[in-house]
Amino acid sequence: MPVCLIYIGIQSLFRALSGKDRFIFAADILFSVIAALISFFFMVFYNNGRVRLHLIMGEALGFFVFMRTVGKHLLALCFPAADTARKVLGKMLYPFVRVGSAFVNIFRNAGDFVRRMIRKRSSKGISVEEIDKKTPDKAKKINFISKILLKIQNKSV
C-alpha cells in the first residue's frame, strides 16, 4: 500500500508539472526505480541479505490489486486536482514565462544574426587567412606561450 501511494503521488506530481504523456512515462520509470530500491533494501535488511522471490511476487500482486481497486479511485481524485494545480500555476507564472521567453528570443535572434554573417562571409569566399592578412599586426593576438613539447628529446623514460 505505501508503494502504491508513492506511485499515485509521483503520477500526480508529474501530471501537475506537465500533462504530456512523455512526462507521465518518465514518472513510471522513476517510480519503478524508487520501488525497486525500496524493495531491495527492505529485503536485504530484514532477510539477512537474501532476496526472496515470494516477497517480490507478493509485492507485485499487492500493487496490482490495490491499483485495480482503491488506486483507480485515488487517481480519479488526484488527476483533476493536479490538472487544476497546473492551470493555477500556469496563470500565476505567466508573467515570468513571458519575460523568460523574451530573453530567449533575444539570444535566438542574436544567434541567427551571427549565422547570417558567417554565411555572408563564407558565400563571398573570404577565408580566415585572408581576414588575418587584412588585419594589422598590432591587432593580432599575441601568443606569449609558445608550443610546449610533449616529448623531451634525449631523455629516456
Side-chain angles (χ1 to χ4, degrees):
M1 185 167 139
V3 176
C4 292
L5 293 176
I6 292 171
Y7 176 73
I8 291 170
I10 290 174
Q11 282 283 15
S12 299
L13 177 70
F14 275 74
R15 181 136 179 167
L17 293 176
S18 174
K20 297 179 181 175
D21 289 337
R22 64 180 173 191
F23 290 111
I24 293 175
F25 181 70
D28 287 339
I29 291 173
L30 181 66
F31 166 75
S32 300
V33 169
I34 289 172
L37 288 174
I38 289 172
S39 178
F40 176 76
F41 286 119
F42 176 78
M43 282 188 236
V44 167
F45 184 70
Y46 283 105
N47 292 323
N48 296 325
R50 294 185 186 138
V51 178
R52 301 190 183 243
L53 182 62
H54 67 280
L55 290 177
I56 294 172
M57 292 180 70
E59 285 180 1
L61 181 67
F63 175 78
F64 288 119
V65 167
F66 184 82
M67 286 305 293
R68 294 288 178 198
T69 57
V70 178
K72 66 180 177 180
H73 299 295
L74 286 175
L75 284 175
L77 291 174
C78 291
F79 279 178
D83 291 337
T84 304
R86 185 178 68 237
K87 289 177 185 175
V88 168
L89 284 175
K91 297 215 185 265
M92 288 174 53
L93 297 176
Y94 181 73
F96 297 108
V97 171
R98 291 283 300 214
V99 170
S101 64
F103 280 119
V104 168
N105 287 336
I106 288 170
F107 288 115
R108 184 176 294 136
N109 292 339
D112 290 342
F113 176 75
V114 169
R115 280 190 215 100
R116 282 195 307 262
M117 295 305 290
I118 290 171
R119 283 190 201 123
K120 259 190 203 177
R121 291 274 185 180
S122 64
S123 66
K124 289 181 181 178
I126 299 173
S127 65
V128 175
E129 291 81 18
E130 292 175 9
I131 294 172
D132 285 341
K133 287 178 185 176
K134 290 180 183 179
T135 57
D137 290 335
K138 292 179 183 177
K140 288 184 180 179
K141 184 179 177 184
I142 299 172
N143 189 3
F144 289 110
I145 302 173
S146 64
K147 292 182 180 178
I148 300 172
L149 296 175
L150 296 177
K151 291 185 178 181
I152 300 174
Q153 296 176 355
N154 299 329
K155 185 175 180 182
S156 61
V157 175

